[in-house]
Amino acid sequence: MLGKTANGLFWMYRYLERAENTSRLIETGQRMALTRLGSSEAEWKSILQTAGVWHGFEATGEELTKESAIDWLLRSKQNPSSVLMSIEGARQNARLVRTALTLETWEATNACYMKAKELLARKVSERDLPATMGVIRQRTALVRGATHGTMMRNDIYNFARIGTFLERADNTARILDVKYYVLLPSVMSVGSSIDNVQWETILRSVSARGGFRMTYGNQYDPIDIAHFLILDGRMPRSLAFCIRKMRDNLSYLNATYGEVPESSRKIADLEEQYLSRDISAVFDQGLHDYLQAVLSRMSDIGAQIEKDYRFYE
Amino acid sequence: MDQNQVFDEMWGREENLRAPYGLFKSWFDGEEPKRLRAKQREAEELFRLTGITFNVYGQAAAEERLIPFDIVPRIISGLEWQRLSKGIEQRVRAINAFLYDIYHGQEIIKAGRLPERMITDNDAFLPHMIGVQPPGGVYTHIVGIDLVRTDDNQFYVLEDNARTPSGVSYMLENRETMLQMFPELFARNRVQRVENYPSDLRSSLAACAPSVAGSSPTVAVLTPGIYNSAYFEHAFLADQMGVELVEGHDLRVIDGRVAMRTTQGYKPIDVLYRRVDDEFLDPLNFNPDSALGVPGIMDVYRAGGITIANAPGTGIADDKAIYSYMPDIVEFYTGEKALLENVPTWRCSEPDSLAYVLDNLSDLVVKEVHGSGGYGMLIGPTATKKDIAEFRKKLEAKPGNYIAQPTLALSTVPVFTRAGLSPRHVDLRPFVLVSPNKINITPGGLTRVALQKGSLVVNSSQGGGTKDTWVLED
């Protein structure tokens, strides 16, 4: 496979994952605005921070309101991580790697892009937002479905998966990091309604409320939440899950290519040093420090994958 | 143009249904126009979904447009096709022989059949190719011969495309779309298959591999990238052939081979089907600013380390100034009279011809010798006085840049409109594959149709559309 193709697949699926994550954040933000207890502006700011797009928004000088935040996240062309631009990025990369995709996967991607472009051509009113988000999520799910149902399980698929899980792990880690203070035991005022909303927000933004209830019942406990999102290997957006998947996909590549490159070693280190401990050890290190360390390791692994598989040269 | 001067491929000149359209006509008469209109829209949806779009030069890169598709097939009988394909094969053989000769002994010039200045003063002649032996002796691996028809048995070659002819993906997608939408039509009519083209292309290219290649040569398609107007086609062909689609920055010359950067290191390529023009192919040998090519590829090529398809320098064979000599060229190399006729052509470089052309501008089509895509041409009969006056100045300033031809009464084929079937002018581009032992012509080709009533311009960049082209099994 061409290095360029591996790169294109990696980014196609990163962008697709990003589009889904950002749309989930928009829904979370909107939901919070409805059941608002704190300052709405502060909440939107933290959502923009979680999406990693706060600085870009700030630079526009625009006033932060619910509308401006949603528009920035959803359809701004100046925001490279907006839902629209992410879908466009996924489709652009799909065109680049067209020969590596099945017809069904390509058509689902192209159709997703055409639909998003149509739905997001104009500002989306609050009333239309849920329906619009619903359609977009369905469209990205179709791409995922076509990918799973029709693509060969070879190096093509592995690069697609590595992109997906790196983006997802990154997203979960950022959500936790922006909100880490509400999970700290020191500020824990058990059962206060503010905390409940904050905790629920975190779970909602990774579509984990149902899974959490299934595992822990209906009592929110910040340590349980942190454990669930960081270390629980059954939760498909937890750091442990995503990193394990990346390690698996890298090892399938190693089996195909017959070599164990640096990135595989780095991911094994990350798993061993950061994801094989219990949650109290995480809090002992300090949640923020821990998350920063994991984020920086992941970014290093991303760069190493680029190098190992000759994405650029 | 007066309608009864025009030959219609469905109705002839006298409103007598021609045989190849018999079964189609009875099917069409039994169809609800409403259903057909819905099918026409469905076809557009299918094309959009497939992404078979093109970028128009000079428009924003993000603007992707569809080439309009018409659901009425253009139908050619097996016998008509047999005759045509003989002529095409003869012409393509002659083109290859001509290219070999031009870059080697230049016997045709020595024999006085072609003026020397047609080569020496021609920008399309590539001195780098002098004395080069292309692997398998093939210069034009893929050729598109543009044909127009004026009568039952009268076809003319409008131009030869010997560089990188495009449009074959439309031929294939048009058929695919028709098969999906109207399976019943194909049950009634026995239509010769076109679906094998990608697999034939791969075999044909592999058969031209250089001697350094192993038993299963590595083929790749070279594209200028996703912003190129024909990117869809490049990706389509690579996908259908099951080969890599590469760009210049994926390639590098290593140990005398052109190699592509894979996830496991550099891997040599044996045959490169390039969809990048000569000028951009090699910044070391041609345009130094080109970022689309591969530095040093020409040196590898000259040393026999890679097959470039089509070979560099083939443009000399489809140059419009050379075109007028094609009947002589065919005769010179095949020893036979040309089976396919040229459109009568005045070379404006010749004073007598120029005088005639200047006197008859309003009846003639005048083309730039090096132009393409229907740009920079004058269609006398439909041009305004002002257009003609302006063109006259250009012509007088540089007569050698132009050739002129009579306006042909191009045949028409019906298209489906709100008012039912309505005739529109068409041309035809059959696609030819050349390998050392074989010339393979896909039955039919790409039919381009001028969608404006009466218009003779079929180019997609100027509002032309396409049709599925059927060659029947007789």
Side-chain angles (χ1 to χ4, degrees):
Chain A
M1 186 202 292
L2 294 177
K4 174 188 70 186
T5 306
N7 185 24
L9 286 159
F10 176 84
W11 279 103
M12 171 184 166
Y13 283 88
R14 273 200 89 154
Y15 277 126
L16 197 69
E17 179 70 26
R18 188 172 297 176
E20 291 185 355
N21 293 340
T22 306
S23 68
R24 206 176 277 115
L25 281 174
I26 295 170
E27 284 175 318
T28 307
Q30 208 212 4
R31 178 81 192 186
M32 261 167 32
L34 295 178
T35 55
R36 189 171 64 87
L37 289 162
S39 134
S40 154
E41 261 171 45
E43 289 302 343
W44 281 110
K45 180 176 171 185
S46 88
I47 292 231
L48 292 173
Q49 282 171 329
T50 307
V53 299
W54 166 247
H55 292 297
F57 180 83
E58 216 182 2
T60 63
E62 215 176 315
E63 192 196 345
L64 179 62
T65 62
K66 178 169 70 182
E67 287 72 29
S68 65
I70 290 180
D71 204 55
W72 183 253
L73 287 164
L74 188 55
R75 48 183 292 280
S76 173
K77 292 215 151 88
Q78 290 139 36
N79 172 10
S81 296
S82 69
V83 173
L84 182 59
M85 293 305 280
S86 297
I87 291 176
E88 199 171 313
R91 192 254 191 178
Q92 193 77 314
N93 278 285
R95 285 188 75 202
L96 198 67
V97 301
R98 173 64 191 84
T99 57
L101 304 176
T102 57
L103 182 64
E104 283 172 54
T105 303
W106 158 249
E107 288 191 350
T109 310
N110 197 29
C112 173
Y113 163 75
M114 290 191 296
K115 198 72 200 173
K117 213 172 132 186
E118 177 198 321
L119 291 175
L120 304 180
R122 259 162 255 96
K123 267 203 170 135
V124 180
S125 73
E126 199 171 357
R127 201 183 49 190
D128 294 338
L129 194 61
T132 303
M133 303 304 290
V135 172
I136 288 174
R137 252 224 302 269
Q138 269 178 12
R139 290 294 179 166
T140 53
L142 286 176
V143 180
R144 221 172 269 296
T147 304
H148 288 291
T150 64
M151 301 266 288
M152 290 272 290
R153 295 322 195 244
N154 55 12
D155 47 359
I156 294 174
Y157 190 78
N158 288 318
F159 284 112
R161 299 297 277 170
I162 290 168
T164 302
F165 288 113
L166 190 60
E167 179 70 23
R168 188 180 293 176
D170 195 60
N171 180 63
T172 301
R174 272 187 290 112
I175 287 175
L176 284 169
D177 198 38
V178 171
K179 287 280 179 189
Y180 80 95
Y181 56 90
V182 307
L183 295 170
L184 294 181
S186 55
V187 295
M188 187 172 114
S189 46
V190 183
S192 94
S193 54
I194 292 188
D195 281 345
N196 266 323
V197 169
Q198 292 283 10
W199 295 333
E200 193 178 308
T201 302
I202 294 176
L203 289 172
R204 192 185 285 277
S205 58
V206 288
S207 294
R209 287 185 313 144
F212 186 84
R213 270 200 303 273
M214 214 180 280
T215 315
Y216 295 97
N218 57 2
Q219 280 297 320
Y220 291 135
D221 175 283
I223 297 186
D224 289 344
I225 293 175
H227 178 267
F228 193 58
L229 296 191
I230 295 172
L231 298 174
D232 195 323
R234 299 163 301 173
M235 154 60 187
R237 317 194 74 82
S238 75
L239 298 184
F241 182 92
C242 297
I243 304 292
R244 189 184 74 218
K245 283 287 176 186
M246 281 172 66
R247 187 202 58 193
D248 288 350
N249 283 292
L250 282 168
S251 71
Y252 300 147
L253 280 178
N254 298 345
T256 313
Y257 291 167
E259 52 182 327
V260 180
E262 196 54 30
S263 47
S264 273
R265 279 190 282 274
K266 285 187 170 173
I267 202 140
D269 284 353
L270 172 63
E271 222 178 357
E272 199 189 346
Q273 292 170 24
Y274 288 87
L275 297 160
S276 315
R277 45 170 95 173
D278 62 32
I279 196 69
S280 58
V282 170
F283 280 98
D284 287 347
Q285 182 184 347
L287 185 55
H288 178 64
D289 281 358
Y290 171 85
L291 290 167
Q292 285 294 322
V294 172
L295 277 165
S296 122
R297 292 275 185 132
M298 286 196 308
S299 123
D300 179 44
I301 288 166
Q304 190 64 47
I305 290 173
E306 263 174 25
K307 218 152 99 195
D308 287 346
Y309 297 103
R310 301 169 177 86
F311 282 9
Y312 298 103
E313 56 190 312
Chain B
M1 194 167 297
D2 184 356
Q3 273 309 311
N4 55 32
Q5 281 180 17
V6 174
F7 174 75
D8 186 84
E9 298 190 15
M10 183 160 171
W11 296 105
R13 286 177 195 278
E14 312 287 337
E15 297 290 309
N16 294 325
L17 183 66
R18 292 179 67 250
Y21 284 85
L23 288 168
F24 170 78
K25 171 77 165 55
S26 63
W27 170 85
F28 182 82
D29 289 343
E31 285 292 312
E32 284 280 329
K34 216 171 124 190
R35 185 181 101 98
L36 290 178
R37 275 199 290 276
K39 285 283 177 191
Q40 181 83 52
R41 283 192 299 273
E42 190 186 315
E44 262 174 43
E45 275 310 300
L46 282 172
F47 281 113
R48 240 178 238 293
L49 189 59
T50 327
I52 180 157
T53 52
F54 69 109
N55 305 327
V56 181
Y57 287 113
Q59 298 203 351
E63 282 305 315
E64 293 168 18
R65 291 215 320 226
L66 277 187
I67 295 186
F69 171 72
D70 176 70
I71 58 172
V72 179
R74 189 232 196 123
I75 311 176
I76 296 168
S77 77
L79 188 66
E80 286 170 339
W81 178 250
Q82 218 176 17
R83 256 187 257 135
L84 266 185
S85 52
K86 277 199 186 119
I88 294 169
E89 179 166 345
Q90 180 198 47
R91 192 162 175 116
V92 169
R93 277 189 200 291
I95 286 173
N96 263 285
F98 169 68
L99 284 165
Y100 182 86
D101 185 30
I102 282 308
Y103 289 116
H104 292 83
Q106 302 200 336
E107 301 300 332
I108 193 167
I109 293 170
K110 291 175 192 154
R113 301 289 288 270
L114 184 71
E116 189 172 7
R117 66 183 160 77
M118 295 310 299
I119 302 298
T120 47
D121 295 351
N122 197 323
D123 289 343
F125 178 74
L126 201 63
H128 303 71
M129 285 298 289
I130 294 171
V132 174
Q133 186 69 41
V138 178
Y139 283 84
T140 56
H141 308 76
I142 300 114
V143 192
I145 304 284
D146 287 356
L147 299 169
V148 293
R149 184 176 200 174
T150 56
D151 210 337
D152 229 336
N153 288 311
Q154 185 64 60
F155 286 85
Y156 290 104
V157 176
L158 199 59
E159 63 184 36
D160 304 288
N161 295 278
R163 301 170 210 216
T164 49
S166 63
V168 76
S169 58
Y170 291 94
M171 171 185 89
L172 295 165
E173 285 290 352
N174 288 353
R175 174 63 53 82
E176 200 51 44
T177 302
M178 288 296 280
L179 281 166
Q180 274 193 43
M181 292 198 308
F182 305 113
E184 73 275 15
L185 260 178
F186 291 88
R188 290 185 184 205
N189 289 277
R190 297 206 311 157
V191 181
Q192 296 190 27
R193 288 160 59 89
V194 298
E195 297 90 308
N196 295 335
Y197 179 85
S199 139
D200 291 344
L201 174 60
R202 181 168 178 173
S203 315
S204 189
L205 289 170
C208 300
S211 52
V212 290
S215 57
S216 77
T218 302
V219 177
V221 177
L222 175 66
T223 175
I226 58 172
Y227 296 112
N228 184 268
S229 66
Y231 178 77
F232 171 83
E233 178 157 302
H234 308 158
F236 177 88
L237 288 173
D239 182 40
Q240 296 281 309
M241 285 195 282
V243 305
E244 293 292 0
L245 177 66
V246 297
E247 291 174 46
H249 58 80
D250 295 315
L251 305 179
R252 180 182 289 179
V253 173
I254 296 175
D255 298 336
R257 302 295 311 272
V258 174
M260 57 184 168
R261 193 183 74 250
T262 77
T263 49
Q264 297 172 274
Y266 280 87
K267 189 182 166 208
I269 291 173
D270 300 310
V271 182
L272 190 62
Y273 175 20
R274 50 84 176 228
R275 298 291 297 258
V276 167
D277 293 343
D278 286 356
E279 192 194 343
F280 299 105
L281 202 50
D282 184 348
L284 291 183
N285 282 282
F286 308 120
N287 183 346
D289 299 329
S290 170
L292 306 176
V294 189
I297 189 175
M298 273 307 283
D299 305 313
V300 176
Y301 181 67
R302 277 194 292 256
I306 191 168
T307 297
I308 299 178
N310 289 351
T314 53
I316 189 73
D318 68 14
D319 184 75
K320 290 198 180 72
I322 296 290
Y323 166 87
S324 61
Y325 293 93
M326 276 308 288
D328 297 309
I329 289 173
V330 172
E331 214 174 304
F332 185 78
Y333 296 106
T334 65
E336 304 159 6
K337 259 196 100 51
L339 298 170
L340 283 176
E341 282 182 56
N342 254 23
V343 180
T345 302
W346 289 274
R347 303 167 190 137
C348 300
S349 54
E350 296 168 4
D352 290 353
S353 299
L354 177 64
Y356 175 84
V357 172
L358 287 171
D359 284 347
N360 293 279
L361 274 180
S362 58
D363 298 325
L364 297 171
V365 177
V366 189
K367 296 175 177 173
E368 243 180 299
V369 174
H370 305 298
S372 73
Y375 290 104
M377 67 192 260
L378 176 82
I379 302 178
T382 58
T384 62
K385 281 196 170 140
K386 189 164 156 264
D387 291 341
I388 292 182
E390 277 171 14
F391 210 89
R392 179 184 300 276
K393 277 186 214 140
K394 288 202 265 181
L395 187 52
E396 281 168 338
K398 280 193 171 171
N401 266 4
Y402 297 93
I403 56 166
Q405 294 169 338
T407 346
L408 296 180
L410 299 194
S411 63
T412 54
V413 173
V415 295
F416 182 64
T417 69
R418 285 216 149 253
L421 295 179
S422 175
R424 295 288 186 277
H425 296 290
V426 292
D427 77 353
L428 177 65
R429 174 178 293 178
F431 293 94
V432 189
L433 299 175
V434 185
S435 60
N437 331 318
K438 202 171 164 191
I439 289 187
N440 176 324
I441 310 173
T442 305
L446 178 65
T447 290
R448 299 187 298 175
V449 53
L451 291 174
Q452 290 295 324
K453 193 165 190 166
S455 165
L456 293 167
V457 183
V458 298
N459 302 75
S460 53
S461 49
Q462 300 193 28
T466 66
K467 281 170 166 296
D468 189 18
T469 308
W470 292 5
V471 174
L472 300 180
E473 307 256 13
D474 279 346

